[in-house]
């Protein structure tokens, strides 16, 4: 800042005289500047040094201005990125709400295979994970006790799990339905007594 201030002073003192009409000086000021002009006339090296200093400060001022412009541009880019992420967050939440609403309207479980209650995870259970997000924060109010969805936080990722089936065929049918709805990354996951385990360990050959 001190360099910028000094630059501004020098530009005001020496740079403007070439482009702006000289102001009226008092008698003492005229005398003072005449003496300075004589000194520089007798010592051209000093005048040259002064002129080079002014040029250098002008260049530095231009460089600082360019840096400020770059920082302002970066700031604008960051703001635009934040706004974009907020829009994506809102779209994902709307999509999730629409999916849950459609799940409530559709019969996801065949009548001969009733879905297991949400209050227990005993035995082998198959479910469908429809997303794992690091920055997206799904409101906990969407995870009701009696709904068909659970939110899990694992290793900093918020995972969205839906459905509870005693057989993998029903879970696989739900996965296919979610993919048809546009959730391409939906996949089947398995739980043994409430602990998540690899599907391949309980259903050999699955996915091959």
């Amino acid at each position: 800042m001190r360099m910028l201030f000094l630059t501004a002073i020098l530009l005001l003192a020496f740079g403007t005289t070439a482009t702006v009409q000289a102001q009226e000086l008092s008698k003492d000021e005229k005398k003072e500047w005449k003496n300075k002009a004589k000194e520089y006339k007798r010592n051209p090296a000093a005048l040259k040094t002064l002129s080079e200093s002014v040029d250098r400060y002008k260049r530095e001022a231009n460089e600082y201005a360019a840096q400020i412009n770059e920082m302002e541009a970066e700031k604008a880019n960051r703001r635009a990125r934040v706004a974009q992420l907020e829009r994506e967050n809102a779209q994902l939440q709307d999509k999730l709400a629409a999916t849950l609403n459609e799940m409530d309207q559709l019969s996801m479980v065949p009548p001969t295979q009733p879905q297991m209650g949400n209050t227990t995870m005993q035995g082998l259970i198959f479910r469908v994970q429809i997303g794992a997000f690091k920055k997206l924060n799904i409101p906990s109010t969407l995870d009701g006790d009696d709904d068909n969805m659970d939110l899990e936080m694992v290793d900093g990722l918020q995972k969205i799990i839906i459905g509870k089936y005693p057989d993998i065929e029903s879970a696989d049918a739900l996965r296919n339905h979610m993919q048809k709805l546009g959730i391409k990354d939906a996949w089947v996951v398995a739980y043994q007594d409430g602990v998540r385990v690899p599907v391949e360990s309980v259903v050999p050959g699955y996915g091959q």
Side-chain angles (χ1 to χ4, degrees):
M1 292 299 295
R2 184 165 57 184
M3 181 66 70
L4 289 174
F5 179 76
L6 179 58
T7 301
I9 293 297
L10 289 171
L11 289 175
L12 181 62
F14 300 102
T16 58
T17 56
T19 58
V20 180
Q21 185 177 1
Q23 298 179 351
E24 290 295 331
L25 300 177
S26 66
K27 186 176 181 180
D28 292 337
E29 288 175 335
K30 289 181 179 180
K31 183 177 180 181
E32 179 182 356
W33 282 103
K34 285 182 179 180
N35 291 334
K36 288 184 177 181
K38 291 179 180 179
E39 291 177 3
Y40 284 122
K41 186 175 181 180
R42 290 192 298 268
N43 189 357
L47 180 59
K48 180 176 180 296
T49 300
L50 178 61
S51 178
E52 291 174 348
S53 298
V54 171
D55 291 339
R56 183 176 70 254
Y57 291 136
K58 285 182 179 179
R59 290 193 300 271
E60 291 177 355
N62 291 334
E63 291 173 0
Y64 290 136
Q67 292 176 9
I68 291 174
N69 290 335
E70 291 178 359
M71 289 187 290
E72 290 293 337
E74 178 66 20
K75 185 178 180 181
N77 290 336
R78 289 179 181 273
R79 287 179 176 174
R81 179 57 179 164
V82 170
Q84 180 182 355
L85 290 175
E86 290 177 346
R87 290 192 297 270
E88 293 177 356
N89 187 0
Q91 292 173 357
L92 287 173
Q93 293 197 30
D94 291 342
K95 190 173 184 178
L96 175 60
T99 301
L100 294 176
N101 182 59
E102 185 165 351
M103 287 175 58
D104 290 338
Q105 298 176 4
L106 296 175
S107 175
M108 294 297 184
V109 185
T112 57
Q113 295 179 345
Q115 197 169 355
M116 303 184 66
N118 288 334
T119 58
T120 179
M121 288 275 288
Q122 297 301 316
L124 180 60
I125 304 298
F126 295 98
R127 311 193 70 186
V128 176
Q129 181 169 317
I130 61 174
F133 307 97
K134 185 174 183 180
K135 295 183 179 180
L136 177 63
N137 183 18
I138 302 298
S140 59
T141 54
L142 292 179
D143 185 10
D145 294 334
D146 298 325
D147 61 15
N148 206 22
M149 181 191 78
D150 288 313
L151 299 176
E152 296 181 358
M153 184 63 70
V154 180
D155 298 330
L157 294 176
Q158 187 183 56
K159 299 182 178 182
I160 306 173
I161 315 296
I162 60 175
K164 285 185 181 180
Y165 301 94
D167 61 276
I168 194 169
E169 290 78 11
S170 297
D172 212 34
L174 176 59
R175 175 188 64 82
N176 289 333
H177 185 76
M178 290 296 99
Q179 290 182 346
K180 290 179 181 179
L181 291 177
I183 305 178
K184 302 300 182 182
D185 294 332
W187 70 93
V188 176
V189 293
Y191 291 82
Q192 182 70 53
D193 295 328
V195 179
R196 186 161 174 170
V197 295
V199 178
E200 296 77 8
S201 67
V202 293
V203 184
Y206 176 76
Q208 295 182 357

